[in-house]
Structures are given as C-alpha cells and as structure tokens.
C-alpha cells in the first residue's frame, strides 16, 4: 500500500517536471487609454524549448485570436508585440482592449502538456465634460430635477453636484447645513432631485463627473426659485373682474335711464337750416359708431 503511494507521488513529480507551468506577475493590469501595458505570461517550466504559445481575447462573449501561429493577429495587429517569449505588450491601448486575455502554452511533443493563465485587462478612460441640465426658474414648493451625464468614462463615472462651489451631499438630510433644502442625489446617474425647492435653493449649480482615470466639470448654470404668490394673483384677477363689472353696470344703467336715447331727439335738429348737411351726416355716423361700441362692451 505504502509502495503504491510512493510510486504515485514519484509519477506526479515526474509529470510536474515534464509539464508546462505558466504564471503571471499581474493578472489584473490597469492602464490609462493610449498608454502601453504588459500582459505578463511567464513560462516557468517546460519540457520543450519551443512550446506553442497562443494568446486569445474574450470580450462580450466573443473570443478571438491575438497571437496565433507566431503572429499578432486581429485588431491588435501593428499595436502589440511579444516580450520575453510569451508576455504580450499592447501599445496605445484603446477602450476596446478592455477584455479577458488568455495565454496558452503547450509543449509541442504532447498536446496534454499544456498550461494557461487568464489576465483581465482594464483600460481606464477619463470622463468627458458631462451634459448638465438645470431648470432656470422654478416656483417655490415645486419639484426640480437636475441632470448630469457623460458616457465616455470607464469605469463609469460617479457624479457630484455643487451649489455656489460647495459640494452637495447625497441627501440634504445628512447635513444640518442643508436643513432648508430637500434634495437627494444619485451619484451613479448624476440626477439631483429637489422634492420641493425653497428660496434657499437659488444659486449657481455645476456637476463633476469622476472616475479612477480623472474628472470633468460642466458649465455652471443658475437656478432661480421664485415665490408663486397665489393670493396676490387671485386678488389681482378679482379686482380686474370687479372693475369690468362696474363699468358694464354703469353703461347699462345709463342706457336704461335713456341717457343715450335722449340724444336722438337732439338729432332731429338736423332739419334746422342753420346746420350744414355735412355736419348732420357726421353726427349720425358718430352715433352709430357709439352704438356699436356699447353693444360690444355688453
Ligand atoms: C493611438 O490610437 C488612436 C486611436 O485609438 C489614434 O488616434 C492615435 O493617433 C494613436 N496614437 C499613437 C501615438 O499612435
Ligand atoms: C433656514 O431657514 C431659517 C428660517 O428662514 C433661517 O433662520 C436659518 O438660518 C436657515 N438655515 C440655514 C442653514 O440656512
């Protein structure tokens, strides 16, 4: 029993010596876009001096060759090279290089002697200037929503809003300084929501998008909160209605009293020879014009 165990151990040792062993100095390299990065793949042990080396790339469920048949292929062509036999160097990295890479090494004389190492490359992209929207004027007590968004940054940006250059917390409730405000910020979407704006929320607002690679700020915009004084508006409208009603009543009253009708007998005086025809004609016209006006008002 003991002998079989020793034999098994010996066999394992021999296999290990003959096998291919691949390691990596960094399995999760991070690089800024446009910089160079090394995907480390080191052959520690191999029973052949000329192992077969292949690099593959998996991104969004698709796997493609990067290094095949001793050549850089695919979208890394002209941008990548092998370093110390099996490591991969990518120059001028792009956001499309964000992927999982696999370095596969096989001893040529036996396909079973094979090892691989998986490397997750992160290419960070700085945020661009976010698009910000701030309502210009909001009546006190109404809701107001401020948006801030940019879609270039990788990893995705987080957002922070500033009022008069002062950073706003995720919730107005978290800081007694903002006791007169009621807002919440979702730092992942950049949306700042005021459930009911108050005069204290008037100010200059801007937003900063930040990720591991950098940050970007949008132009400052002003938010004005004004009093919507309903009592004053209703009062004003009532006064106008009252005045119009009084005028109408006065005209009706005058009409009934025959104030306008009394002018007709006067009109008969056109027959008096002292007055020229032209003037009489004008007067009749004048009267007609007045009737038209009064019927319009009533
Ligand atoms: C790097 O790649 C970008 C495209 O992703 C290209 O516009 C730029 O010219 C390249 N820079 C260098 C130094 O090759
Ligand atoms: C909040 O409003 C009250 C009343 O208008 C005022 O006295 C107080 O100073 C305000 N607090 C802050 C932090 O602005």
């Amino acid at each position: 029993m003991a002998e079989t165990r020793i034999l098994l151990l010996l066999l394992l040792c021999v296999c290990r010596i003959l096998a291919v062993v691949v390691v990596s100095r960094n399995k999760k390299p991070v690089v800024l876009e446009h910089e160079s990065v090394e995907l480390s793949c080191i052959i520690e042990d191999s029973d052949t001096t000329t192992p077969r080396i292949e690099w593959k790339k998996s991104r969004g469920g698709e796997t493609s060759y990067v290094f095949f048949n001793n050549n850089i292929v695919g979208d890394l062509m002209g941008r990548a090279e092998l370093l110390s036999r099996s490591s991969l160097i990518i120059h001028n990295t792009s956001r499309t290089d964000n992927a999982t890479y696999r370095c596969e090494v096989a001893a040529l004389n036996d396909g079973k002697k094979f090892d691989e190492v998986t490397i997750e490359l992160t290419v960070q992209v700085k945020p661009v200037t976010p698009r910000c929207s701030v309502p210009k004027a909001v009546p006190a007590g109404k809701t107001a929503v401020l948006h801030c968004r940019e879609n270039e940054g990788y990893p995705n940006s987080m957002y922070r809003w500033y009022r008069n250059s002062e950073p706003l917390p995720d919730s107005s409730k978290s800081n007694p300084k903002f006791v007169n405000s009621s807002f919440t910020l979702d730092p992942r979407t950049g949306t700042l929501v005021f459930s009911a704006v108050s005069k204290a929320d008037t100010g200059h607002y801007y937003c900063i998008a930040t990720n591991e690679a950098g940050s970007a700020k949008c132009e400052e915009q002003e938010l004005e909160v004004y009093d919507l004084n309903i009592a004053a508006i209703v009062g004003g409208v009532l006064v106008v209605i009252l005045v119009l009603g009084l005028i109408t009543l006065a005209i009706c009253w005058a009409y009934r009293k025959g104030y306008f009708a009394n002018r007709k007998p006067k009109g008969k005086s056109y027959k008096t020879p002292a007055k020229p025809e032209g003037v009489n004609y004008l007067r009749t016209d004048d009267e007609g014009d007045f009737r038209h006006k009064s019927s319009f008002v009533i």
Side-chain angles (χ1 to χ4, degrees):
M1 197 66 191
E3 280 136 22
T4 15
R5 198 172 281 172
I6 286 166
L7 200 75
L8 212 80
L9 250 159
L10 205 77
L11 220 93
L12 268 171
C13 276
V14 169
C15 277
R16 181 116 185 103
I17 287 163
L18 291 180
V20 180
V21 176
V22 180
V23 295
S24 178
R25 275 199 296 267
N26 185 3
K27 287 187 173 182
K28 289 185 187 297
V30 176
V31 67
L32 271 181
E33 193 178 37
H34 303 307
E35 288 181 354
S36 297
V37 67
E38 176 188 346
L39 308 188
S40 157
C41 173
I42 298 155
I43 302 167
E44 280 207 325
D45 257 316
S46 171
D47 63 341
T48 162
T49 50
T50 54
R52 189 191 69 204
I53 299 159
E54 284 175 2
W55 276 93
K56 285 173 188 161
K57 169 183 179 175
S58 297
R59 178 181 155 86
E62 265 182 48
T63 301
S64 58
Y65 273 109
V66 169
F67 184 73
F68 179 72
N69 212 0
N70 283 322
N71 284 304
I72 301 283
V73 294
D75 61 349
L76 285 183
M77 218 194 290
R79 239 179 357 112
E81 58 184 317
L82 247 59
L83 177 84
S84 25
R85 195 152 78 141
S86 48
S87 286
L88 186 73
I89 300 266
I90 303 176
H91 300 290
N92 191 15
T93 51
S94 109
R95 56 197 73 190
T96 59
D97 298 336
N98 264 306
T100 300
Y101 294 81
R102 213 161 63 229
C103 172
E104 299 178 352
V105 178
L108 278 181
N109 45 359
D110 190 342
K112 280 174 197 162
K113 291 166 189 167
F114 170 90
D115 199 10
E116 62 180 25
V117 65
T118 301
I119 295 168
E120 265 176 51
L121 172 64
T122 303
V123 180
Q124 295 181 337
V125 183
K126 284 180 195 162
V128 295
T129 303
R131 282 192 313 277
C132 293
S133 70
V134 177
K136 273 195 173 61
V138 185
K142 294 281 183 229
T143 61
V145 182
L146 283 67
H147 295 283
C148 177
R149 194 92 179 147
E150 71 84 32
N151 292 314
E152 298 290 311
Y154 188 86
N156 290 341
S157 289
M158 297 291 267
Y159 303 91
R160 177 71 44 213
W161 275 97
Y162 292 75
R163 172 161 75 206
N164 303 326
S165 303
E166 188 177 21
L168 299 180
D170 290 357
S171 168
S172 54
K173 290 184 180 71
S174 68
N175 189 335
K177 206 192 263 180
F178 301 100
V179 69
N180 290 338
S181 290
S182 62
F183 59 79
T184 52
L185 164 70
D186 185 341
R188 283 176 303 273
T189 61
T191 304
L192 178 68
V193 179
F194 289 88
S195 53
V197 291
S198 74
K199 279 286 199 182
D201 296 321
T202 292
H204 292 89
Y205 289 79
Y206 64 83
C207 161
I208 296 181
T210 307
N211 71 2
E212 285 84 338
S215 61
K217 168 182 174 289
C218 70
E219 278 287 312
E220 197 172 72
Q221 291 175 54
E222 192 177 5
L223 170 77
E224 195 206 326
V225 178
Y226 61 91
D227 276 322
L228 188 66
N229 197 336
I230 290 172
I233 292 172
V234 170
V237 169
L238 280 180
V239 165
V240 168
I241 289 172
L242 200 72
V243 166
L244 282 176
L246 282 175
I247 290 171
T248 311
L249 275 175
I251 290 168
C252 282
W253 177 80
Y255 204 82
R256 290 239 179 96
K257 281 276 171 186
Y259 177 75
F260 298 127
N262 278 349
R263 294 184 68 180
K264 266 183 183 163
K266 258 189 201 166
K268 276 178 185 167
S269 69
Y270 69 82
K271 288 242 160 109
T272 53
K275 299 214 168 170
E277 286 280 307
V279 174
N280 287 331
Y281 180 76
L282 270 176
R283 177 175 284 184
T284 327
D285 194 44
D286 194 39
E287 196 176 78
D289 194 29
F290 186 83
R291 271 208 187 123
H292 177 76
K293 259 188 208 158
S294 60
S295 71
F296 173 75
V297 171
I298 291 160

